Amino acid sequence: MTTHPTRLAAPAPGWSTYADVIVVGSGVAGLTAALRAAEVVDSVIVVTKAVLDEGSTRWAQGGIAAALGEGDTPAQHMHDTLVAGAGLCDEEAVRVLVTEGPGAVRRLMSVGAEFDRDAEGNVLLTREGGHLRNRIAHAGGDATGAEISRALVHAVHDAGIEVIEHALVLDLLRDAEGRACGVTLHVMGEGARDGVGAVHGRAVVLAAGGMGQVFSSTTNPHVSTGDGVALALRAGAEATDLEFVQFHPTVLWLGPGAEGQQPLVSEAVRGEGAHLVDADGIRFMTGRHPLGELAPRDIVAKGIMQRMAETGGEHMYLDARHFGAAMWAARFPTILATCRAHGIDPVHDLIPVAPAAHFASGGVRTDLDGRTSVPGLYACGEIACTGVHGANRLASNSLLEGLVFAERIAADLARELPPRREPVAPTGEAGLLDPGVRLPLQRAMTAGAGVLRGRDSLQATTRVLADLGLRTGTEPCTEAWEATNLHLVASALAAAAYDREETRGCHWRADFPDADDKDWRGHVVTTMAAGRLDRAYEPYEPKLHETTPPIPTQPEEQP
């Protein structure tokens, strides 16, 4: 059994600073948490791996889902979310999402986010896979994430919130009682805060984004190396549902050898009427699901993979030629430019697409207020598993989840912020892996733990990971820290995928092709102790607290 470092090998901190609340990450979840926390505590610091506006949020194309349209209700949004989640959503978490979501979107607008509107000033809403109504608000046509990021970054600057950029967070600091009281980090740059340092605080909020870089083909940026999930596991936090990685069905196919971050072709393209076809022009999703091309993402990704196997093709196609040049330029300018940069003109050409790793439905386990199993440590956004997504995320619920649960964290901090405590010296074995393990790890994960998995492929991947885990002894550097984080997260993901002997949501087992509600309608909970990963199975328990307000069934007014 592989033993993982319980902390990253690094020089002792050469500098330190303090804030009441430390937020790690600068996407919609992190920046919202920082803004709301700054209203209730004296000081907040945002730590981000790149620059403030380079979080994963800026890559979001489609939009943000909320029951804002005429005739739509939170109850209908909840129904669609539960269906997409394939029986594993936490119903209470979903209720919180859909009831608090419309207000959270309005507050985002009040911060300055400008969504596309019609001539009468109403927010334009589109439809994406799994939604039975048009409820996706978008900005700049297909640049929703960029607009949300712009507005939040501007608000953070206006609020005077301190930001530490180019900073890779290493490990959690804890006090004598085991409560989170800061982080260690490495700042890549020059100045007073160069190299390894420490930020002390009274609470830590992890909003560090996803872990898509565990795969060789992903829509995630290069910095999405699972640093937050790895930090949480080393700190003793529970992670759950790690096996449920959503593979976006329509990622621009760049050739058989393409690796790294791949361009996304938003689900909204299908929502506006594009068709999935094979090389012969056949709409192969027709008859596979009542919603056809607008089925939940796991269904569409499986349909594409099955049609590729049936035809021997390396990809399928999106046909949106009927949109015309004007609609492409107005509604999807970013996708149009990306396609043309790769020699494809969607006004006249079919768009080659194939699934690629996109979103982690699981992550660091939290309650409804974003609290993890480690006192003082919170998580929100893609890094967290709130229970909202279940076995498969409904399209455009991710930005909404980041907003809603970031606000709930701030509310919890307002109710109870612990006194300042000093960290104790870290214990456990420190270590690092050779940076060279990154590419073989990614290839092994794509080959054996990708869209389609099985016992043999997962065993092969686990053997590769075990061998890579022996490549230790390197000097501390960013590449080694990232590689070590990737290895821990990949090992946890592959083990959970091996355990779950069924097909459910975005977890697809070739050797167990059906869902098994009797034995596997539940959660795989991963923890780490003394460097060894452990997993426990918890049966699913529907839970709606009596104190939870009823779901509104009447439409709300347009913002």
Side-chain angles (χ1 to χ4, degrees):
M1 181 182 290
T2 301
T3 301
H4 300 271
T6 56
R7 57 190 176 92
L8 296 177
W15 56 270
S16 66
T17 188
Y18 171 84
D20 287 337
V21 175
I22 305 155
V23 178
V24 180
S26 61
V28 61
L31 296 184
T32 300
L35 284 168
R36 301 308 175 203
E39 298 171 354
V40 298
V41 302
D42 291 334
S43 57
V44 175
I45 285 180
V46 174
V47 176
T48 184
K49 194 172 181 180
V51 296
L52 199 58
D53 63 351
E54 287 192 7
S56 293
T57 293
R58 69 187 291 259
W59 299 100
Q61 295 174 344
I64 185 167
L68 300 171
E70 182 179 354
D72 197 7
T73 66
Q76 295 175 60
H77 189 184
M78 181 169 183
H79 169 271
D80 293 349
T81 300
L82 294 176
V83 170
L88 283 190
C89 294
D90 181 319
E91 294 179 14
E92 188 176 6
V94 176
R95 177 177 292 211
V96 165
L97 179 82
V98 301
T99 55
E100 297 182 11
V105 172
R106 290 185 177 91
R107 287 186 288 277
L108 178 62
M109 293 177 186
S110 70
V111 168
E114 298 180 0
F115 289 88
D116 296 335
R117 296 178 181 264
D118 62 20
E120 286 73 42
N122 297 311
V123 174
L124 290 170
L125 301 171
T126 191
R127 187 175 163 209
E128 293 184 359
H131 293 271
L132 296 181
R133 284 189 173 273
N134 288 11
R135 66 167 63 97
I136 316 301
H138 48 84
D142 59 355
T144 308
E147 170 57 19
I148 291 174
S149 180
R150 180 204 63 77
L152 290 173
V153 167
H154 186 77
V156 164
H157 285 314
D158 281 354
I161 294 172
E162 186 175 357
V163 177
I164 303 177
E165 297 182 316
H166 302 292
L168 171 62
V169 170
L170 302 177
D171 280 307
L172 190 70
L173 295 173
R174 285 173 286 176
D175 65 20
E177 297 177 355
R179 187 179 186 90
C181 61
V183 294
T184 56
L185 67 166
H186 177 263
V187 177
M188 300 163 277
E190 298 179 356
R193 291 178 182 167
D194 180 28
V196 174
V199 183
H200 300 158
R202 298 162 70 182
V204 176
V205 180
L206 293 178
M211 53 188 182
Q213 285 291 327
V214 298
F215 297 97
S216 61
S217 179
T218 176
T219 63
N220 289 192
H222 188 75
V223 295
S224 296
T225 49
D227 307 318
V229 174
L231 176 150
L233 284 170
R234 288 193 296 270
E238 294 178 349
T240 191
D241 295 345
L242 293 177
E243 65 273 32
F244 294 114
V245 176
Q246 186 175 81
F247 289 78
H248 198 288
T250 55
V251 175
L252 186 63
W253 188 78
L254 300 180
E259 294 180 323
Q261 185 180 9
Q262 310 290 300
L264 178 67
V265 181
S266 171
E267 194 152 1
V269 176
R270 281 175 282 134
E272 295 287 356
H275 308 306
L276 277 167
V277 298
D278 62 18
D280 295 322
I282 298 172
R283 291 180 62 184
F284 57 88
M285 284 303 299
T286 302
R288 292 180 185 249
H289 189 276
L291 295 178
E293 286 105 337
L294 285 178
R297 288 177 179 173
D298 61 314
I299 304 296
V300 179
K302 290 170 187 171
I304 290 174
M305 295 295 292
Q306 288 167 342
R307 192 59 174 170
M308 286 164 56
E310 292 165 2
T311 63
E314 294 181 301
H315 57 81
M316 291 290 110
Y317 294 96
L318 264 179
D319 186 357
R321 294 173 293 182
H322 54 287
F323 285 4
M327 179 176 173
W328 265 111
R331 182 66 179 85
F332 301 109
T334 306
I335 297 171
L336 177 64
T338 299
C339 287
R340 285 176 170 169
H342 290 281
I344 301 157
D345 186 350
V347 177
H348 305 291
D349 304 330
L350 298 175
I351 306 170
V353 293
H358 181 58
F359 186 88
S361 293
V364 182
R365 193 180 205 181
T366 74
D367 65 11
L368 296 182
D369 292 316
R371 293 176 292 203
T372 74
S373 57
V374 175
L377 180 65
Y378 295 81
C380 57
E382 187 174 354
I383 189 178
C385 184
T386 62
V388 159
H389 305 307
N392 177 62
R393 173 173 69 86
L394 181 65
S396 288
N397 267 356
S398 56
L399 293 176
L400 188 69
E401 181 196 31
L403 277 179
V404 168
F405 287 91
E407 291 188 342
R408 292 181 72 86
I409 288 173
D412 192 66
L413 292 170
R415 288 189 293 268
E416 182 183 5
L417 189 65
R420 182 174 177 176
R421 302 280 180 84
E422 291 301 314
V424 296
T427 59
E429 183 178 352
L432 284 179
L433 295 187
D434 181 344
V437 309
R438 180 169 179 151
L439 186 55
L441 178 152
Q442 292 169 322
R443 289 173 174 171
M445 288 295 290
T446 293
V451 182
L452 181 60
R453 307 158 173 177
R455 183 189 302 273
D456 292 344
S457 73
L458 288 164
Q459 286 179 334
T461 294
T462 299
R463 287 193 294 270
V464 172
L465 292 175
D467 290 341
L468 294 175
L470 300 175
R471 293 170 58 175
T472 60
T474 189
E475 291 297 313
C477 63
T478 298
E479 294 77 15
W481 290 318
E482 287 185 332
T484 307
N485 287 336
L486 282 169
H487 185 264
L488 175 56
V489 172
S491 299
L493 192 163
Y498 183 84
D499 284 355
R500 183 173 289 278
E501 295 182 333
E502 66 160 355
T503 290
R504 184 184 298 274
C506 50
H507 172 69
W508 186 14
R509 285 284 295 257
D511 48 347
F512 295 96
D514 300 314
D516 180 357
D517 282 352
K518 177 178 178 294
D519 293 327
W520 282 105
R521 191 182 182 196
H523 304 281
V524 177
V525 181
T526 301
T527 53
M528 190 173 83
R532 296 187 181 275
L533 290 169
D534 186 36
R535 296 172 308 286
Y537 175 74
E538 291 186 2
Y540 175 82
E541 294 183 7
K543 49 185 179 181
L544 284 172
H545 293 182
E546 293 180 1
T547 57
T548 305
I551 306 172
T553 57
Q554 297 300 314
E556 297 194 22
E557 293 184 2
Q558 263 263 3

